[in-house]
Amino acid sequence: MYEHDVVVVGAGGAGLRAAIAAQEEGADVAIVSKLHPVRSHTGAAEGGINAALRDADSWEDHAYDTMKGSDYLADAPAVEALCQESPEEVITLEHWGMPFSREEDGRVSQRPFGGLSFPRTTYAGAETGHQMLHTMYEQVVKRGITVYDEWHVMDLAVTDEEDPADRTCHGVVAYDIQSGEISGFRASGGVILATGGMGQVFDHTTNAVANTGDGVAMAYRAGVPMEDMEFIQFHPTTLPSTGVLISEGVRGEGGILYNDKGERFMFEHGYANNDGELASRDVVSRAELTEVNEGRGIEDEYVHLDMRHLGEERILDRLENILHLAEDFEGADGLTEPMPVKPGQHYAMGGIETDEFGETVIDGLYAAGECACASVHGANRLGGNALPELIVFGKRAGYHAAGKEMGEAEIPTGKSGEWEPADYEFETAVGETGGRGPAAADGGA
């Protein structure tokens, strides 16, 4: 039996952030993961982190975009939490050393993503999730947080009252993949499920083979309600042969979608006359599938994504990883030819029902990240809102599980509205003060 105050199941973005937050509150924290932390699926996230950092932007505009993109089905308290707290979390990551892409004047770069009214997506090339994962794992190592990697959690240790609302979670049962040892992990303060998505139930998915929905299944067996399970997002640009993701950053930088007739169909066929390729993911995915079903697809399967016009210098600076993916998996050189893409299952908006602090109906059981559902995304998640969800709600669940009562006045970014991003001193990656981090009103990239 292993005993800790807080046990975090999963070591992706949400799990690492939850563990750091709980440790900051003085808890003895352990992470139990079937993968080594830096192998978690968060590392495959390419796009970026939405945050209202510029003076010309605001968290209210971010919240409006998020609610509109959700088909107005998101929960307002969760949306407010995401949009108010993501700027501070981005700044925290930068202070921890995350190598964000930057403008020539040293400011963190931001670019447009689908469904956004302002270019507020911060990024680190086309490997934002990878950099975020490593940055937070460094903090876990630095803080001495215990990590049990390659331990596969099988079930929750929950009391057996008839009503799930009367039950209490005391820990988890797991087995050591290497030795086969089965053991209990007792958590006196709480268990936080951060086990990621369930994409492997679909034939064509961007999700890693490890994304098998373990946390959702465990919570369901323990009696926790599931929420928004009908809302599954398909990403419009995945490689046909593998499901490997081609970042929305390609379209954010100006990439264009064409059908087999060479038509820019998002405009020419009226799918999104205003936003075109930067319409929300559900709109673009349906448009691509319609093109294929109506006989305008290439080889009756996919469409083309073209970024050649961006120029070699810009592509290598901001999207180099995309070139390697297209070449390695499809044999396409993105500098000289378009890439084949088609929709693929990407994200589950639904999952374990929680409030905006990660609490479930079972006392002592929390959830954060893609396995959880505070309904911050409603029926459709905007690109760039997944990574801030991991760090904002991972942090909240960690604080809460460690005993921090986060009333409105105590939420770090200040629900009172007194906090503004422009009040922060923003440090560069080398630790020098770069003045006030938010940009001037030009809005960046």
Side-chain angles (χ1 to χ4, degrees):
M1 175 76 73
Y2 301 88
E3 298 192 18
H4 299 273
D5 296 333
V6 175
V7 170
V8 180
V9 182
L16 294 178
R17 188 65 184 93
I20 292 168
Q23 189 269 345
E24 288 177 335
E25 287 303 300
D28 171 23
V29 186
I31 298 172
V32 186
S33 173
K34 67 182 181 183
L35 301 171
H36 188 276
V38 299
R39 299 296 296 169
S40 298
H41 188 57
T42 299
E46 298 165 354
I49 308 171
N50 290 340
L53 293 173
R54 306 291 197 240
D55 290 337
D57 197 10
S58 69
W59 75 262
E60 290 93 343
D61 288 344
H62 185 189
Y64 174 77
D65 294 342
T66 299
M67 186 63 77
K68 181 181 178 181
S70 77
D71 290 335
Y72 297 95
L73 291 173
D75 285 356
V79 172
E80 286 190 9
L82 177 80
C83 301
Q84 283 196 347
E85 297 180 27
S86 60
E88 184 181 21
E89 286 301 297
V90 167
I91 292 168
T92 296
L93 286 171
E94 196 272 346
H95 287 181
W96 286 344
M98 182 165 167
F100 285 102
S101 295
R102 294 180 180 273
E103 302 300 318
E104 290 185 1
D105 61 5
R107 296 175 300 164
V108 167
S109 298
Q110 291 186 287
R111 61 187 171 197
F113 256 36
L116 298 183
S117 60
F118 190 90
R120 67 174 61 93
T121 308
T122 66
Y123 58 95
E127 51 187 31
T128 311
H130 174 83
Q131 299 291 355
M132 191 174 89
L133 195 65
H134 279 260
T135 298
M136 288 198 290
Y137 182 58
E138 288 173 0
Q139 290 296 313
V140 166
V141 174
K142 175 182 176 180
R143 296 161 187 266
I145 295 172
T146 304
V147 179
Y148 300 91
D149 61 275
E150 298 191 354
W151 279 80
H152 194 153
V153 176
M154 299 182 292
D155 221 341
L156 301 171
V158 178
T159 56
D160 61 357
E161 286 81 3
E162 183 174 349
D163 186 345
D166 295 328
R167 296 174 186 169
T168 301
C169 181
H170 293 288
V172 300
V173 178
Y175 74 90
D176 184 337
I177 295 173
Q178 182 175 7
S179 69
E181 173 194 354
I182 296 177
S183 186
F185 290 80
R186 181 178 178 85
S188 57
V191 171
I192 303 172
L193 293 175
T195 56
M198 60 186 84
Q200 284 301 313
V201 304
F202 290 82
D203 178 61
H204 189 76
T205 178
T206 66
N207 286 196
V209 294
N211 286 20
T212 50
D214 301 346
V216 174
M218 287 187 284
Y220 178 75
R221 292 195 299 268
V224 180
M226 302 292 110
E227 183 177 10
D228 292 351
M229 296 299 285
E230 69 274 30
F231 297 143
I232 299 293
Q233 180 174 89
F234 285 76
H235 197 289
T237 55
T238 74
L239 296 179
S241 63
T242 60
V244 167
L245 177 70
I246 296 299
S247 168
E248 192 163 321
V250 176
R251 288 175 288 130
E253 295 292 341
I256 298 173
L257 292 168
Y258 294 107
N259 61 19
D260 72 334
K261 301 181 184 301
E263 298 171 322
R264 192 174 179 181
F265 57 87
M266 291 303 299
F267 289 103
E268 294 188 34
H269 291 182
Y271 296 112
N273 291 329
N274 293 324
D275 297 320
E277 285 84 5
L278 286 178
S280 59
R281 290 173 175 179
D282 56 333
V283 173
V284 182
S285 293
R286 286 197 298 269
E288 292 178 1
L289 188 59
T290 300
E291 291 296 299
V292 172
N293 289 343
E294 293 184 357
R296 294 185 295 273
I298 298 159
E299 298 184 1
D300 294 324
E301 183 183 9
Y302 55 84
V303 296
H304 273 152
L305 176 61
D306 195 351
M307 63 178 182
R308 293 173 292 176
H309 58 286
L310 300 178
E312 182 175 354
E313 181 179 354
R314 187 174 181 182
I315 292 171
L316 290 176
D317 179 45
R318 301 188 175 193
L319 300 167
E320 182 179 5
N321 187 45
I322 302 304
L323 291 176
H324 299 315
L325 294 175
E327 176 67 33
D328 292 345
F329 293 106
E330 299 293 344
D333 181 359
L335 293 174
T336 61
E337 59 186 321
M339 299 173 287
V341 294
K342 75 175 190 178
Q345 189 280 340
H346 183 55
Y347 188 89
M349 274 73 74
I352 303 164
E353 184 184 70
T354 73
D355 63 14
E356 64 270 27
F357 301 107
E359 288 189 287
T360 72
V361 68
I362 293 179
D363 185 41
L365 180 64
Y366 300 80
E370 189 175 349
C371 73
C373 181
S375 205
V376 71
H377 306 302
N380 177 61
R381 176 179 69 76
L382 294 183
N385 268 358
L387 295 183
E389 177 195 15
L390 302 183
I391 51 182
V392 167
F393 292 101
K395 173 194 67 179
R396 283 172 155 245
Y399 278 148
H400 212 281
K404 183 178 180 67
E405 294 300 322
M406 292 178 63
E408 284 196 355
E410 296 176 308
I411 292 175
T413 52
K415 298 277 276 193
S416 64
E418 296 176 357
W419 178 87
E420 292 291 341
D423 292 335
Y424 267 85
E425 288 295 315
F426 207 90
E427 295 180 3
T428 69
V430 295
E432 300 173 351
T433 299
R436 287 153 65 112
D442 62 11

